Amino acid sequence: MPQSVAIIVAGGSGKRMLHNRPKQYLSLGGIPILARTLIVFEKTPAIDRIVVVVPSCDIAYVKEEIVKKHGITKAMQVQPGGETRQDSVLAGLKALGENDEIIVIHDGVRPFLTEEFINLSIVEASRTGAVVPVLSPVDTVKVVDRDGVVRDTPRRSDMRLAQTPQVFMKNIIVGAYERAYEDGFYGTDDASIVERMGIEVRTMLGMSSNIKITTEEDLALGEFILSRKRFPT
């Protein structure tokens, strides 16, 4: 049967967090951030399997202290990542099976998704082939050169801020990644790798609470979000 597979990328070092521990393992409401992310995918019926991609030195820890301890039964594969996020996603793509059809790529430090949102993104990708959640910026966006000089001010109504999960049919994302590496291209996100192939990527409304936790301020905001909403524990 065709399957939906989540590739959860968690290769950050935590340098911007000023912690000795990588940010994905820091506690958020008493539970590691990565565990919180995985719990949502574990509880989402539309997700058949989870591939977790982490630094090679962390594999044993993640298997024991994250996957096993928190009952993530769908995470049957914990893969070593690469030097960049794109390299880590490629490692996850290489772990796919022939029955895998819809690929959900998500940052391990975005723990505030909901089952409903994941389901909707899968439905949209099934219909269109490629979908990315976005939010409209609240600030004016400036295009600057390497010297910090403003070169353009695009219309804010045309701008969007991309989030994850970014969801694709397997043939689309695998083909785009293969071509990117053939061309030596590194994109800023998964959608950009697909876009350069001339494939249309559709957008869907993202979630304001779907923050990426990379700084101390993000962690504090995450604690606030937890205090205001109910999330899996």
Side-chain angles (χ1 to χ4, degrees):
M1 292 290 291
Q3 296 191 95
S4 295
V5 179
I7 297 176
I8 309 300
V9 184
S13 63
K15 291 180 180 178
R16 282 179 287 180
M17 191 72 74
L18 302 179
H19 275 269
N20 293 326
R21 301 187 69 194
K23 57 194 176 187
Q24 60 267 30
Y25 311 134
L26 295 178
S27 175
L28 179 62
I31 296 176
I33 295 171
L34 177 57
R36 283 195 174 276
T37 301
L38 293 176
I39 288 169
V40 179
F41 283 88
E42 175 74 19
K43 293 186 174 183
T44 302
I47 295 295
D48 297 290
R49 190 160 55 86
I50 302 171
V51 178
V52 188
V53 186
V54 298
S56 57
C57 59
D58 295 344
I59 288 178
Y61 170 82
V62 170
K63 285 183 175 179
E64 190 66 26
E65 296 298 323
I66 302 291
V67 172
K68 183 178 179 180
K69 185 174 181 179
H70 295 276
I72 314 298
T73 61
K74 294 180 182 178
M76 294 175 281
Q77 292 165 282
V78 181
Q79 300 288 119
E83 291 186 11
T84 68
R85 182 187 183 280
Q86 183 169 320
D87 296 329
S88 293
V89 172
L90 179 64
L93 293 174
K94 288 181 176 179
L96 297 177
E98 61 180 26
N99 292 328
D100 299 334
E101 182 177 52
I102 299 175
I103 313 305
V104 182
I105 304 174
H106 188 61
D107 299 323
V109 289
R110 290 185 187 267
F112 295 121
L113 278 182
T114 64
E115 297 172 37
E116 293 77 15
F117 190 85
I118 296 170
N119 287 333
L120 180 58
S121 68
I122 290 173
V123 169
E124 288 297 305
S126 300
R127 185 176 63 86
T128 66
V131 65
V132 54
V134 298
L135 294 175
S136 297
V138 296
D139 297 314
T140 297
V141 177
K142 299 288 185 181
V143 178
V144 301
D145 62 19
R146 293 183 178 180
D147 296 322
V149 177
V150 174
R151 295 304 180 189
D152 191 21
T153 303
R155 292 189 307 175
R156 192 166 62 188
S157 60
D158 293 336
M159 300 293 104
R160 297 293 184 272
L161 305 176
Q163 300 181 323
T164 67
Q166 299 187 2
V167 189
F168 311 90
M169 299 299 292
K170 184 177 81 170
N171 63 315
I172 290 177
I173 190 64
V174 171
Y177 258 78
E178 289 175 348
R179 182 62 179 274
Y181 277 89
E182 288 174 4
D183 296 344
F185 174 81
Y186 275 77
T188 56
D189 67 352
D190 306 298
S192 66
I193 293 173
V194 172
E195 292 157 22
R196 68 185 293 270
M197 299 290 290
I199 297 172
E200 188 175 80
V201 177
R202 303 294 296 178
T203 62
M204 60 182 287
L205 181 62
M207 297 172 56
S208 60
S209 61
N210 183 24
I211 64 170
K212 185 176 182 180
I213 299 178
T214 59
T215 67
E216 292 281 359
E217 291 78 10
D218 297 331
L219 190 61
L221 178 57
E223 294 286 358
F224 175 75
I225 292 172
L226 274 181
S227 72
R228 297 294 299 271
K229 297 183 179 182
R230 295 186 62 184
F231 286 90
T233 59

